[in-house]
Amino acid sequence: MTVLERLAATVEARKGADPDSSWTAKLLARGPEKCAEKFGEEAVEAIIEAVRGDRARLASEAADVLYHLLVMLAARDVTLAEVMAVLETREGTSGIAEKAGRG
Ligand SMILES: N=c1c2ncn([C@@H]3O[C@H](COP(=O)(O)OP(=O)(O)OP(=O)(O)O)[C@@H](O)[C@H]3O)c2ncn1[C@@H]1O[C@H](COP(=O)(O)O)[C@@H](O)[C@H]1O
């Protein structure tokens, strides 16, 4: 199991946990809209570091983005496995070919 899969399992397990002892449970208790907003904030923080070019800070912000992505997905009952399955269907298809083939 990868660290991302373990984190997804932890996030899933936090559904219904005590918001006073779990940041994940606190976020989930505030609803999917708040989880989405939080994901957006973390994404913006990662964008800022990408523009600045600080590799270590970008890696750290990217970790925040991945964690908050998992929380946002969990809030809408979308599993990491579902996302990975979508990525798998795209394997081997160039983004350029995919765009050209759109109706
Ligand atoms: N990976 C994370 C993780 N990444 C970030 N965070 C929290 O997300 C919160 C982000 O909140 P804020 O935006 O307020 O913090 P910030 O980005 O520093 O904000 P600024 O003050 O800079 O604006 C912080 O409290 C971080 O600790 C995380 N909280 C939990 N996890 C993982 O989730 C697991 C379960 O955590 P709990 O649900 O808290 O038990 C943990 O063991 C970790 O593996």
Side-chain angles (χ1 to χ4, degrees):
M1 204 187 252
T2 64
V3 65
L4 200 58
E5 288 167 330
R6 287 198 301 278
L7 184 56
T10 301
V11 167
E12 190 62 29
R14 289 298 193 271
K15 284 183 181 175
D18 179 7
D20 288 334
S21 61
S22 160
W23 175 258
T24 313
K26 192 192 278 285
L27 264 179
L28 289 170
R30 295 180 73 185
E33 297 83 359
K34 187 68 202 179
C35 294
E37 182 189 321
K38 199 73 202 159
F39 171 76
E41 285 174 22
E42 299 298 339
V44 168
E45 287 174 23
I47 289 166
I48 291 167
E49 296 308 337
V51 171
R52 281 187 180 147
D54 184 324
R55 295 180 73 265
R57 288 183 65 97
L58 176 56
S60 177
E61 293 299 342
D64 283 356
V65 168
L66 288 178
Y67 164 72
H68 285 90
L69 173 63
L70 292 176
V71 175
M72 179 175 69
L73 292 173
R76 287 297 188 197
D77 295 318
V78 176
T79 66
L80 178 61
E82 285 178 76
V83 177
M84 291 304 162
V86 173
L87 283 177
E88 265 187 344
T89 66
R90 295 179 186 172
E91 263 180 345
T93 305
S94 154
I96 294 194
E98 184 276 330
K99 199 162 188 161
R102 277 188 216 162

